[in-house]
């Protein structure tokens, strides 16, 4: 038993404060649940639930002892722990049991001591088993070395998503709690076996223990020297290539994956309707359900990427850039430009892919009218007046610009020298956004109120001034860091003013062209224009330049 | 080894450079100049400030106090101007591991107008680096070779090597030394070579700078250093409990009647001082750079 505690202590040592904070959070929730209900409003109570999943997943990861990138081929189990003179069982069983107990107990406390007293009839047992299955699946996937890291990444995403969705879907189809629990229990046993086997493989595989490749590898007599691709025309094109490989292509790839996943139900969701006697027609009902969501997929992924979901490879150990990247003979301005251009190219390609998919969907029969199959295009788009068609085009442009914006503002996260700051950024943004949303519900904000345009204009005006003020402060700091770049700053401000103007005009026109009643009363001029100007990045591009300057020249 | 120049152009000029990490002074008033064509060995203990100094030359650190000029330019103010002339290889490697060798070569080539593709191909073949090998799958030694390839293929005017052979096998170390020697053979190339392996420094350097606790404690031509440092063995008439206190002696070893000193300067002065203490010199010999390094390091520690 002592051995088990030692293994666990070694594993969770890095996250020890997090376990304490998460435990305190749960205790806090239990106390709050026993306070009079009216003391905490529903939106605030809902907001307090948000850190649960984040905290639970992070603490469960502690039991994985993740010391390798999820997309790397090596086992993520600490290499030096793999070499401890212990049986594989000791290294595997205690972390598996601890992760299972921690995951299940956290949910049971959360559901029975917070959700239920607040009047939410949350199931207890199958979600507890779900979290056990999730923990064990992560251990089994991350402990086992893979030939290719990308495969591990795909398997991890697919498995955890499937585990999470299964319970929700099964509950939606009215499966009994016992039946769902049984499926999860079987999964738990299977993943436990896989985790054990994966760890055994990690201990015996020479490439697994993060020793890396064969250290004795030396010059091979069969060296293949290939030079098929043309040289880059300039450092800028080379840097663009780098940024495209690192970040630019991620959005079109993820969007294609998302759109493909959304398109899968097209194969299944058919509706057959009898027309005359034996004659029947088939239409795809999934299209009418899912079509409106398609244009939002790139925006969703761009937001996730923009928050720094992919660890930047320019950043090495804490506070230090990788020397190869930092010593490129290129100005920080050109580095940043290359990144922005790669993001722009990725967003444009994504827009083409999305529009192409939507057009394809629009032509597939999706409904039945008067006994004939009709497509989404025939039913909803072909009959649109030209003005409304232009409105759709305007909305597509606005959405593409928004997608670009959400990815571009995150460039500074990529350049932050501090790993911890980069990790904290998404948490701050998500929790800050959720808090703002909850408080707006708490205040019962009414966007149909006649006074709403006035106060919303005032709010957006203040935010816009804050943004300009922050940008001014950042630009002054940038001038101090790089005295020669004041001309660039003026040109950056002029560019922002131009794009803010275009965005304001586009949003203003959309608000004007929308049919009456389609938008809430609050969205009257100048609210859309101010909102558009707020969306155009200004302060964070300066912050990105500062982060890059500070990272390269500390 | 040092090649003569009619007018010695200063490639590196560091003046009174100070850098602190918290309360610790990593560099404490370092001044240094490197002339074109020099091969300078930078030696010092771990944490002495060698890497910090090199990072200042690359513009990765801003000078808190003092100034740094490389090719007459401030490396922080003009990174492209400075970095496009510097070939750099560090102990850490830090290559983008997701790239294949051919991608690394193609990407790196774009930044250097003087990139010599034929030379790059020759090095790649010599080092046994297959174009389609991913850097992440290469051994440490092969990665070091890949780093060396991109550091050398544009025939840099200044080659900065920061502990490049640390932890590598003798064959890779030989490749690195060979590369330095070839770079030296290119007229007008300058090399700054930081290493713990003093035998390597001794092999290629014509000048040695020793850094100790952020200060330059020794900066001289290698030949002159070796000429002026001697190991002197002596015997005294009476046994001694402590080493004799004589100015110029950097380190003492021994006990009783027999003592040995590492002496900096002419031995004539030592001879007189020893005689005054009732002793005599029995043997004088040359010393290795290793011994000189250890002696200065111990003196600094005192």
């Amino acid at each position: 038993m002592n051995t088990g505690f030692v293994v666990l202590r070694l594993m969770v040592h890095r996250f020890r404060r997090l376990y304490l904070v998460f435990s305190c959070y749960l205790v806090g929730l239990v106390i709050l649940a026993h306070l009079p209900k009216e003391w905490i409003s529903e939106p605030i109570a809902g907001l307090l639930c948000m850190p649960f999943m984040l905290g639970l997943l992070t603490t469960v990861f502690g039991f994985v002892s993740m010391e390798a990138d999820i997309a790397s081929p090596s086992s993520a189990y600490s290499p030096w722990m793999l070499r401890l003179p212990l049986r594989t069982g000791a290294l595997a069983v205690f972390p598996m049991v601890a992760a299972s107990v921690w995951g299940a107990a956290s949910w049971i406390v959360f559901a029975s001591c917070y959700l239920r007293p607040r009047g939410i009839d949350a199931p207890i047992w199958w979600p507890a088993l779900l979290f056990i299955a999730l923990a064990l699946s992560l251990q089994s996937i991350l402990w086992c070395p893979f030939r290719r890291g990308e495969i591990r990444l795909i398997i991890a995403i697919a498995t955890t998503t499937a585990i999470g969705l299964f319970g929700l879907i099964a509950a939606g189809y009215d499966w009994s709690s016992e039946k769902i629990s049984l499926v999860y229990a079987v999964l738990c046993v299977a993943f436990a076996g896989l985790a054990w086997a994966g760890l055994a493989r990690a201990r015996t595989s020479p490439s697994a223990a993060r020793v890396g490749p064969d250290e004795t590898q030396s010059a091979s007599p069969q060296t293949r020297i290939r030079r098929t691709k043309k040289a880059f025309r300039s450092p800028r094109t080379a840097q663009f290539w780098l940024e495209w490989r690192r970040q630019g292509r991620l959005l079109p790839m993820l969007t294609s994956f998302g759109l493909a996943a959304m398109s899968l139900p097209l194969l299944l969701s058919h509706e057959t309707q009898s027309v005359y006697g034996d004659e029947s027609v088939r239409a795809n009902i999934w299209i009418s359900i899912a079509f409106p969501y398609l244009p939002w997929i790139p925006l969703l992924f761009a937001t996730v990427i923009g928050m720094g979901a992919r660890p930047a490879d320019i950043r090495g150990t804490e506070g230090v850039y990788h020397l190869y990247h930092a010593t490129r003979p290129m100005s920080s301005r050109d580095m940043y430009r290359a990144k922005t251009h790669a993001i722009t190219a990725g967003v444009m390609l994504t827009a083409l892919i999305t529009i192409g998919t939507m057009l394809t969907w629009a032509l597939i029969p999706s409904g039945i009218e008067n006994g004939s199959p009709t497509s989404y295009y025939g039913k909803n788009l072909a009959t649109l007046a030209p003005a409304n068609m232009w409105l759709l085009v305007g909305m597509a442009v606005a959405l593409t610009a928004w997608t670009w914006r959400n990815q571009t503002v995150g460039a500074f996260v990529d350049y932050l020298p501090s790993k911890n700051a980069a990790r904290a950024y998404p948490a701050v943004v998500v929790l800050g956004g959720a808090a703002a949303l909850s408080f707006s519900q708490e205040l019962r904000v009414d966007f149909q109120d006649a006074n709403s345009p006035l106060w919303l204009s005032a709010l957006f005006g203040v935010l816009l001034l804050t943004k300009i003020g922050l940008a001014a402060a950042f630009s002054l700091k940038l001038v101090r860091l790089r005295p020669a770049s004041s001309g660039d700053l003026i040109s950056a401000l002029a560019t922002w003013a131009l794009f803010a103007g275009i965005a304001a005009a586009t949003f203003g026109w959309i608000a004007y062209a929308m049919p009456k009643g389609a938008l809430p009363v609050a969205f009257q001029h100048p609210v859309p224009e101010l909102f558009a100007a707020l969306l155009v990045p200004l302060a964070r591009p300066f912050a990105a330049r500062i982060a890059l300057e500070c990272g390269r020249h500390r | 080894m040092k090649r003569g120049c009619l007018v010695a152009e200063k490639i590196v000029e560091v003046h009174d450079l100070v850098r602190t990490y918290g309360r610790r002074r990593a560099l404490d008033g370092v001044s240094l100049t490197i002339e074109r064509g020099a091969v300078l060995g930078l030696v010092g203990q771990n944490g002495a400030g060698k890497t910090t100094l090199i990072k200042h030359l690359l513009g990765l650190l801003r000078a808190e106090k003092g100034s740094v000029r490389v090719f007459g330019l401030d490396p922080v103010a003009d990174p492209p101007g400075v970095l496009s002339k510097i070939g750099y290889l560090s102990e850490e490697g830090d290559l983008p591991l997701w790239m294949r060798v051919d991608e690394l070569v193609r990407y790196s080539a774009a930044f250097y107008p003087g990139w010599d593709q034929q030379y790059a191909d020759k090095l790649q073949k010599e080092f046994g680096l297959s174009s389609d090998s991913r850097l992440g799958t290469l051994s440490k030694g092969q990665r070091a070779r890949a780093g060396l390839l991109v550091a050398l293929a544009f025939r840099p005017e200044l080659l900065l090597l920061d502990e490049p052979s640390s932890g590598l096998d003798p064959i890779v170390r030989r490749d690195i030394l060979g590369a330095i020697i070839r770079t030296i053979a290119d007229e007008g190339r300058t090399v700054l070579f930081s290493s713990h392996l003093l035998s390597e420094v001794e092999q290629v350097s014509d000048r040695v700078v020793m850094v100790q606790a952020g200060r330059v404690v020794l900066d001289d031509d290698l030949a002159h250093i070796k000429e002026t440092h001697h190991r002197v063995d002596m015997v005294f008439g009476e046994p001694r409990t402590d080493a004799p206190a004589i100015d110029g002696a950097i380190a003492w070893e021994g006990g009783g009647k027999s003592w040995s000193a590492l002496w900096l300067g002419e031995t004539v002065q030592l001879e007189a001082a020893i005689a005054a203490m009732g002793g005599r010199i029995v043997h004088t010999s040359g010393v290795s750079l290793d011994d000189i390094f250890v002696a200065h390091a111990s003196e600094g520690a005192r």
Side-chain angles (χ1 to χ4, degrees):
Chain A
M1 188 56 90
N2 264 348
T3 310
F5 282 120
V6 170
V7 170
L8 284 178
R9 201 162 59 84
L10 292 171
M11 240 179 195
V12 302
H13 181 76
R14 273 187 303 167
F15 299 98
R16 59 192 184 285
R17 289 192 189 91
L18 195 66
Y19 286 98
L20 188 68
V21 169
F22 187 64
S23 304
C24 291
Y25 160 74
L26 284 179
V27 171
L29 285 186
V30 173
I31 294 168
L32 287 176
H34 291 86
L35 295 176
K37 236 179 154 183
E38 60 276 12
W39 284 19
I40 303 162
S41 66
E42 286 303 320
I44 301 293
L47 179 67
L48 288 169
C49 294
M50 288 204 67
F52 177 77
M53 276 307 288
L54 189 69
L56 182 60
L57 285 177
T58 318
T59 44
V60 161
F61 260 99
F63 297 109
V64 178
S65 181
M66 200 158 150
E67 285 196 17
D69 185 2
I70 195 166
S72 84
S74 316
S75 167
Y77 206 96
S78 303
W80 65 274
M81 281 179 72
L82 286 177
R83 293 193 288 272
L84 287 175
L86 293 173
R87 287 180 179 279
T88 302
L91 291 176
V93 169
F94 293 107
M96 287 198 291
V97 170
S100 305
V101 171
W102 181 266
S106 301
W107 171 258
I108 291 167
V109 170
F110 180 64
S112 58
C113 302
Y114 181 69
L115 295 180
R116 287 196 167 187
R118 298 273 328 164
I120 299 163
D121 187 24
I124 301 283
W125 296 110
W126 71 257
L129 282 161
L130 181 157
F131 286 117
I132 297 176
L134 205 61
L136 293 172
S137 70
L138 284 171
Q139 286 173 325
S140 65
I141 295 165
L142 292 168
W143 286 353
C144 182
F146 275 68
R147 192 173 286 277
R148 289 184 67 92
E150 297 87 350
I151 293 173
R152 186 219 297 266
L153 182 65
I154 292 166
I155 290 176
I157 292 172
T159 310
T160 49
T161 310
I163 290 171
L165 286 179
F166 167 73
L168 298 173
I169 293 169
Y173 276 94
D174 291 331
W175 281 32
S176 67
S177 178
E178 291 77 13
K179 206 169 161 186
I180 302 172
S181 301
L182 184 67
V183 173
Y184 276 127
V186 171
L187 284 176
C188 290
V189 174
F191 283 126
L194 285 173
W196 191 319
L199 194 59
R201 188 160 171 242
R203 296 191 92 185
T204 51
S205 156
S207 65
R210 293 261 324 269
V211 172
D214 183 6
E215 291 296 333
T216 57
Q217 185 181 337
S218 59
S220 145
Q222 296 97 24
T223 304
R224 291 175 299 282
I225 298 181
R226 185 187 54 197
R227 204 142 331 274
T228 48
K229 287 185 179 164
K230 269 191 194 170
F232 292 113
R233 275 179 288 121
S234 65
R236 279 188 195 179
T237 50
Q239 194 64 18
F240 172 82
W241 169 84
L242 180 96
E243 290 295 349
W244 172 256
R245 290 289 302 267
R246 287 188 54 240
Q247 200 177 40
R249 66 180 185 171
L250 201 58
L251 182 65
M253 280 165 70
L254 286 175
T255 303
S256 303
F257 182 75
L259 290 173
M262 287 283 281
S263 301
L264 274 181
L266 288 176
L267 303 171
L268 308 167
S269 308
H270 289 99
E271 187 179 70
T272 308
Q273 196 179 72
S274 293
V275 188
Y276 304 109
D278 293 340
E279 206 178 325
S280 62
V281 287
R282 278 159 63 86
N284 210 309
I285 52 166
W286 175 246
I287 291 176
S288 44
I289 298 166
F291 191 85
Y293 296 105
L294 293 184
W296 299 97
I297 290 175
L299 180 65
L300 175 75
F301 283 125
T303 311
V304 173
I305 299 167
M307 285 196 192
R310 191 174 192 274
D313 68 354
I314 194 170
R315 198 185 305 120
T317 46
E318 185 60 32
V320 179
Y321 275 6
H322 272 156
L323 298 176
Y324 179 77
H325 290 298
T327 54
R328 289 306 83 210
M330 180 175 227
S331 68
S332 302
R333 184 191 61 180
D334 285 345
M335 274 190 178
Y336 180 63
R337 270 189 188 170
K339 182 184 278 294
T340 316
H341 289 169
I343 290 172
T344 307
V347 170
M348 297 315 289
L349 180 61
T350 305
L352 286 177
I353 292 168
T354 312
I355 290 168
T357 308
M358 289 180 76
L359 285 176
T360 311
W361 274 44
L363 296 173
I364 298 171
S366 61
I368 298 164
E369 265 188 6
N370 304 323
S372 306
T374 54
S375 66
Y376 196 89
Y377 174 79
K379 194 177 170 188
N380 300 301
L381 301 176
T383 51
L384 276 181
N388 287 342
M389 199 55 116
W390 279 113
L391 187 63
L392 272 185
V393 172
M395 285 166 76
V397 171
L399 204 56
T400 305
W402 197 353
T403 306
W404 176 84
R405 177 258 179 208
N406 276 15
Q407 201 177 339
T408 307
V409 292
F412 93 94
V413 186
D414 224 22
Y415 287 139
L416 280 174
S418 162
K419 238 179 211 175
N420 288 336
R423 278 185 196 138
Y425 174 76
V428 169
V429 171
V430 169
L431 293 178
L437 208 66
S438 300
F439 282 114
S440 72
Q441 286 200 352
E442 176 77 3
L443 296 169
R444 293 188 173 76
V445 174
D446 183 5
F447 290 107
Q448 298 293 3
D449 182 58
N451 287 326
S452 57
L454 197 66
W455 66 258
L456 214 51
S457 302
L459 176 69
F460 285 172
V462 169
L463 288 175
L464 193 60
L465 285 175
T466 311
K467 182 183 182 117
I468 293 168
L470 268 177
F474 287 162
S475 59
L476 285 175
K477 165 90 176 164
L478 198 55
V479 168
R480 274 201 302 277
L481 286 172
R482 181 155 298 287
S485 60
S486 51
D488 300 339
L489 297 178
I490 292 164
S491 104
L493 283 170
T495 310
W496 175 79
L498 176 71
F499 279 99
I502 294 170
T506 310
F507 274 59
W509 174 68
I510 290 172
Y512 165 77
M514 281 289 236
K516 275 206 181 309
L519 283 178
V521 175
F523 292 98
Q524 283 178 17
H525 305 291
V527 173
E529 289 83 355
L530 286 170
F531 179 66
L534 263 177
L535 280 184
V536 179
L538 176 64
R540 277 176 281 194
F542 282 128
R545 288 282 310 279
I546 291 173
L548 191 52
E549 286 293 336
C550 293
R552 285 186 88 190
H553 316 291
R554 294 178 67 217
Chain B
M1 196 169 279
K2 197 176 187 179
R3 292 158 306 287
C5 293
L6 287 175
V7 181
E9 183 194 348
K10 285 173 183 166
I11 298 292
V12 172
E13 290 170 275
V14 176
H15 181 67
D16 200 20
L17 183 62
V18 172
R19 179 79 191 184
T20 49
Y21 293 120
R23 287 183 179 177
R24 192 173 72 84
R25 281 211 157 188
L27 292 178
D28 190 3
V30 168
S31 295
L32 176 78
T33 54
I34 308 177
E35 289 160 358
R36 185 176 288 281
V39 181
L40 187 139
L42 186 63
V43 297
Q45 286 174 288
N46 282 332
K50 304 185 297 294
T51 300
T52 307
L53 176 60
I54 290 176
K55 283 187 175 173
H56 276 93
L57 301 185
L58 289 164
L60 298 174
L61 296 174
R62 288 170 191 271
E64 280 175 10
K65 199 182 150 214
S67 66
V68 177
R69 291 288 177 274
V70 182
F71 303 107
L73 302 167
D74 178 353
V76 172
D78 186 4
V82 173
L83 293 171
S84 60
K85 296 175 185 172
I86 298 180
Y88 172 62
L89 181 66
S90 75
E91 176 189 0
E92 295 156 52
D94 275 347
L95 297 173
L97 300 182
W98 55 267
M99 278 191 199
R100 291 196 312 261
V101 170
D102 61 341
E103 289 173 333
L104 178 75
V105 170
R106 184 168 168 247
Y107 173 68
S108 304
F111 293 93
Y112 306 102
W115 185 271
D116 183 341
Q117 192 55 53
Q118 277 187 335
Y119 185 39
D121 287 344
K122 183 173 165 273
L123 286 173
Q124 193 181 334
K125 204 170 178 184
E126 204 173 290
F127 293 161
L129 294 164
S130 286
S131 297
D132 51 2
S133 301
R134 209 168 281 279
L135 294 170
T137 65
L138 295 178
S139 67
K140 193 179 175 188
Q142 286 293 81
R143 274 209 285 264
R145 285 188 174 108
L148 191 60
L149 189 164
V150 292
L152 290 175
F154 62 101
R155 299 188 186 279
E157 288 186 45
L158 172 63
L159 186 60
L160 288 183
L161 302 165
D162 185 10
E163 307 273 3
S165 42
S166 196
L168 298 177
D169 64 60
I171 300 169
V172 185
R173 292 214 305 265
R174 186 199 60 194
D175 284 345
I176 291 173
L177 271 185
I180 299 171
I181 290 163
R182 266 180 300 199
T183 306
I184 299 164
D186 271 357
E187 191 61 42
R189 310 284 160 191
T190 311
V191 180
L192 191 155
F193 178 44
S194 146
S195 178
H196 279 126
L197 302 166
L198 299 180
S199 57
E200 291 183 352
V201 173
E202 219 167 342
Q203 253 178 289
V204 297
S205 308
D206 48 25
R207 185 177 146 208
V208 172
V209 170
M210 189 178 287
V211 187
Q212 176 76 28
R215 289 169 179 270
V216 174
V217 293
L218 185 69
D219 179 359
D220 209 342
D221 282 352
L222 181 62
H224 190 247
I225 290 174
K226 296 194 81 175
E227 266 170 32
T228 50
H229 285 76
H230 309 277
R231 176 168 299 286
V232 183
D233 300 323
M234 60 202 77
V235 286
F236 292 93
E238 296 297 323
R240 297 183 64 91
T241 49
D242 296 324
I246 304 171
D247 285 345
I250 305 166
W252 287 96
E253 271 175 26
K257 290 182 180 179
S258 298
W259 287 83
S260 179
L262 203 144
W263 179 254
L264 173 60
E266 293 298 322
T267 50
V268 186
Q269 297 155 346
L270 179 64
E271 217 171 329
I274 296 293
M277 291 178 178
R280 66 188 169 83
I281 290 175
V282 291
H283 187 241
T284 304
S285 58
V287 279
S288 68
L289 193 58
D290 255 330
D291 290 335
I292 298 170
F293 172 75
V294 171
H296 278 282
S298 318
E299 192 189 39
R302 282 199 300 271

